[in-house]
Amino acid sequence: PFLAQACSAVAPRAPADLPLRTLATACGPARAGSALAAGRRPAAECSKSLCGGGSSGSGWPQRCPRRRFVAAAATEMADADGVENVAATGREGSSSSGRLRWAMNSAKWQPADEHQGVEFRFLLGLIREKDDREQVLKFVRFVDKKRALISRLLVRQASAVVLGLSSFSDLEIARTKGKKPFLKAPRPGPERADLANFNFSVSHEGDWVILASEPLCVCGTDVAAPQEVRPGAGAARDVFRDLEDQLTPSEWAFVKAEERRGPSQVAAASPEGGGGEPRLSGGAVEPEEDPAYGAFQRHWCCKEAFVKARGDGLEFPFNRIEFSLLPAAEHDAAVRASGGRPPPGFAARVDGVDIGPRWRFFQHRLGGQHWAAVARGPTGEVVDAQGEFRRTLVRPTDAFAPLDWRRELDFEEPPFTVVPVAFLVPPDDAEAYAQAAGSPHTAPAAPPSEG
């Protein structure tokens, strides 16, 4: 926050919670590019002298983003639009709040020589835990290796950004018995009671790998791909038959009703935005979307998000939870009316009992006919056989006043921000990554208006 405030004179729209790497862009107007490329501090361009001129006043003199990322950021500094795009990421889905929504299109990242290449190996080396590195390489298909690597980088980068760390070296990421990843250490300090339960969830299917995090609610997320891009894809009706017992009769009735309504004809996907990643305009629907399968996807990712928030793994029968979703056309209209944000949470029941007082669910469209869901829930419903994850939740939901908990549940849901792979590299490794990847370290893409 200090650095962002210091930059306000040259980048007045920069939010107070941008990661250091994005401040490398936000701090430097286009005219500073040549000085940065030469490795000099462009003192004349900085009215705030944010690096302290070598003094130790703020504790940050050796971490000035201009000095740290001169080689990697110089190209981006010359692009005035890049400053506006980076600044636009500072919405409610922010590092200071711990409420993040990040999405990466893994299909658009094609590193040279695949998992044997320098770039992939460099990124794999950023993962401290040996078991996690080995799990990435156990996948047979390269597309699965990519997704596994990206998901592991997402959780580390989210943790580093929220904690204000410039590398992953001090992070310890663990998993529950149900395979839910969590930040074991270091945890936010006691002075950050607003981050006391910081936790996250990741998902990958089809083209997308996504992360959602919450500061106090337990968080779960899931992305569901269209049928044609799933492994071993068959006809949608075959899927419906095989998974008939996973949705309730009421949910199947919704699927059939959506089929009768036909595709929701709204604006198609917009041209690609910054960073080479697609942005969606108003929750776009591609005309060829199968409305019945889309309705199935929406239910499925909600159920997955609920189970992943709790940490059940495969133990929770999906037909125990039932959702009452908006028709796709109404969802899309609500997104457009809200300027890109998903509509408020919808009804859900477990064993016929409304869980609305304790849980909220939100849905997002992603490009290529993918749907994503985010669940927010109470700490008391976490399933954690070993207890390690539960011990990180130091502000139990029962300790909240009812109105305070309702406020957390109902906090406005931010859209997903689409990020390139370079965004997942911590600041300390940015220049080395730029050399390994053969390209500058790029700032995150501007957020899509929904999803």
Side-chain angles (χ1 to χ4, degrees):
F2 166 79
L3 288 175
Q5 292 166 13
C7 290
S8 60
V10 292
R13 286 185 292 266
D17 53 23
L18 285 175
L20 290 180
R21 78 164 55 76
T22 62
L23 285 173
T25 301
C27 291
R31 62 184 181 276
S34 60
L36 286 160
R40 303 191 306 271
R41 172 181 176 268
E45 311 296 346
C46 181
S47 62
K48 299 293 185 179
S49 298
L50 68 90
C51 72
S55 69
S56 58
S58 70
W60 287 97
Q62 301 306 315
R63 303 178 79 170
C64 170
R66 290 180 175 165
R67 292 168 56 182
R68 199 165 195 82
F69 306 121
V70 289
T75 300
E76 294 159 1
M77 293 290 185
D79 180 3
D81 289 338
V83 177
E84 295 180 5
N85 289 345
V86 172
T89 64
R91 300 165 73 165
E92 282 78 0
S94 65
S95 57
S96 63
S97 73
R99 185 172 285 108
L100 303 173
R101 304 290 186 268
W102 291 347
M104 180 180 163
N105 190 324
S106 63
K108 290 185 173 292
W109 178 47
Q110 299 296 336
D113 299 321
E114 298 189 340
H115 67 282
Q116 299 291 348
V118 174
E119 182 181 7
F120 191 95
R121 290 288 175 174
F122 179 91
L123 294 172
L124 186 65
L126 297 177
I127 300 173
R128 167 184 162 187
E129 294 82 1
K130 180 181 178 182
D131 287 348
D132 250 5
R133 294 196 305 271
E134 291 177 346
Q135 286 298 319
V136 170
L137 296 176
K138 282 182 179 180
F139 288 97
V140 176
R141 302 189 310 159
F142 178 60
V143 65
D144 295 320
K145 288 182 171 72
K146 278 198 303 181
R147 294 175 187 140
L149 174 60
I150 293 166
S151 68
R152 285 158 174 80
L153 292 175
L154 278 168
V155 301
R156 286 161 176 81
Q157 181 66 315
S159 300
V161 165
V162 168
L163 293 172
L165 303 178
S166 59
S167 81
F168 298 163
S169 60
D170 294 331
L171 296 177
E172 184 178 356
I173 305 297
R175 291 179 182 268
T176 66
K177 185 177 180 181
K179 304 302 180 183
K180 179 179 177 68
F182 64 95
L183 174 63
K184 185 175 182 179
R187 295 293 305 174
E191 73 281 0
R192 292 303 306 269
D194 58 319
L195 292 173
N197 298 341
F198 173 69
N199 70 108
F200 42 73
S201 178
V202 289
S203 178
H204 51 82
E205 186 173 85
D207 295 341
W208 292 94
V209 186
I210 64 174
L211 172 138
S213 70
E214 285 288 325
L216 296 172
C217 299
V218 173
C219 182
T221 194
D222 189 68
V223 57
Q227 178 66 0
E228 58 269 20
V229 302
R230 300 184 67 188
R237 297 302 175 272
D238 294 338
V239 175
F240 295 169
R241 183 190 62 244
D242 295 342
L243 299 177
E244 183 177 2
D245 62 346
Q246 301 300 300
L247 270 61
T248 68
S250 175
E251 291 171 330
W252 281 120
F254 180 88
V255 170
K256 293 176 182 178
E258 285 291 271
E259 183 175 34
R260 289 193 297 271
R261 290 188 186 100
S264 176
Q265 300 294 325
V266 299
S270 69
E272 289 188 343
E277 301 291 352
R279 292 182 293 169
L280 296 183
S281 175
V285 182
E286 292 84 348
E288 66 272 17
E289 181 179 55
D290 179 342
Y293 195 80
F296 173 80
Q297 286 175 263
R298 294 176 64 196
H299 284 95
W300 189 267
C301 65
C302 285
K303 292 168 185 275
E304 287 276 11
F306 173 72
V307 169
K308 290 169 74 172
R310 286 168 47 97
D312 290 273
L314 300 175
E315 300 300 317
F316 191 95
F318 272 11
N319 57 11
R320 286 185 57 197
I321 184 165
E322 180 177 84
F323 292 95
S324 298
L325 305 182
L326 286 173
E330 293 183 26
H331 169 94
D332 298 329
V335 168
R336 293 194 301 276
S338 66
R341 297 187 182 280
F346 39 84
R349 294 167 293 279
V350 172
D351 299 330
V353 178
D354 179 23
I355 60 173
R358 308 190 309 277
W359 288 85
R360 290 292 181 276
F361 300 88
F362 305 88
Q363 289 204 311
H364 303 254
R365 283 192 182 275
L366 300 178
Q369 305 169 26
H370 293 62
W371 281 93
V374 175
R376 302 177 190 168
T379 61
E381 295 192 32
V382 166
V383 177
D384 180 18
Q386 297 163 338
E388 287 188 311
F389 172 52
R390 188 184 293 275
R391 283 193 288 273
T392 70
L393 308 175
V394 296
R395 283 188 69 184
T397 301
D398 290 347
F400 282 73
L403 286 178
D404 290 339
W405 179 246
R406 178 73 177 265
R407 189 178 300 113
E408 279 300 311
L409 284 179
D410 291 337
F411 196 96
E412 191 172 41
E413 173 71 3
F416 275 88
T417 296
V418 181
V419 300
V421 69
F423 177 76
L424 307 182
V425 179
D428 282 3
D429 297 291
E431 293 182 23
Y433 172 70
Q435 295 175 4
S439 61
H441 188 69
T442 56
S449 54
E450 143 72 332

